[in-house]
Amino acid sequence: MPLPLSDHLIQLAYDPGISPQGGGLPGLSVLKNVVNSINMFGIIAVVGALAVSLGVWAWGHHTGGHQAEANGKKGALVAAGAALGLGAANGIVTFFSALGSQVH
């Protein structure tokens, strides 16, 4: 007697037999290089954004432009957060991937 569909789905949910493996698809090394290059481009863009934001902050403070000063502060914080996210991206994905693999 075959298993009902619900029992089959429950068994599949426990162990579908799928795990990430390198080398399964052609071009994996190219994809890694592309992602690394995008990450580097993002970091370089964040350095530029941080420099501009700090300049706006200093200019606003020097001229008494409170709105420009506040925008410079916000931009500096956003750029710092983006740098943190870009730098920690690999670690964050690794952490959550390991955490997700422990779910049963």
Side-chain angles (χ1 to χ4, degrees):
M1 176 172 178
L3 291 174
L5 181 60
S6 62
D7 289 343
H8 184 66
L9 288 176
I10 289 172
Q11 279 186 332
L12 188 62
Y14 284 127
D15 186 16
I18 298 171
S19 62
Q21 292 181 352
L25 291 174
L28 188 59
S29 62
V30 174
L31 183 61
K32 287 181 183 179
N33 286 335
V34 168
V35 172
N36 287 337
S37 298
I38 291 170
N39 196 0
M40 179 57 78
F41 180 80
I43 290 172
I44 292 169
V46 165
V47 170
L50 183 61
V52 169
S53 295
L54 293 175
V56 169
W57 186 358
W59 177 75
H61 180 74
H62 179 70
T63 61
H66 300 294
Q67 188 69 31
E69 184 178 0
N71 287 336
K73 287 179 187 179
K74 283 190 283 187
L77 286 175
V78 167
L84 179 67
L86 287 167
N90 195 33
I92 291 169
V93 170
T94 301
F95 172 77
F96 283 107
S97 177
L99 190 65
S101 68
Q102 295 175 5
V103 175
H104 294 285

